[in-house]
Amino acid sequence: MDPMQVIKRDGEHQPFDRAKLRAGMLRAAHKRPVDPADVEAIADRIEAAVEAAGGELAARRIGQMCLDGLRQLDRVSYLQFASVYKEFADVDDVQAELAELGAEPLAGSVGGAREDAEVPPNAA
């Protein structure tokens, strides 16, 4: 059987690299309550999807499968992976992704200070 291939956005074919895929998801989940076995399960599903597609799958589809899997495990890991995968340019991109997740905007973000924030007693 021919090695599995990833079809990049520019049409180039690259070998499917499960270790690279797994490492990217684990990097996004670093210091998060994500079991590495769950990341392995996502990688298993993706590898099976590549095989089922005849050994070739678009990088865009693989990336979306990573995002879908991480979103179910941990929203922060999802957001960290999305920030690299979707190439967020600024905080507006992050806010838009949070809105898509159905999450509240980041309190105290660049957009303004929180009205309900307390000032520490020694801050004056």
Side-chain angles (χ1 to χ4, degrees), residues 16 19 22 29 42-43 46 53 64 66-67 71 73 77 91 99 108 112 122:
F16 175 78
R22 182 179 174 278
I42 296 168
I46 294 169
Q64 190 59 52
C66 289
L67 288 169
R71 183 178 185 168
L73 293 179
S77 298
V91 73
N122 298 331

Side-chain angles (χ1 to χ4, degrees), residues 94-96 98-99 102-109 114:
V94 175
Q95 293 284 16
L98 285 170
E104 292 290 316
L106 293 173
S109 69
R114 287 179 38 197

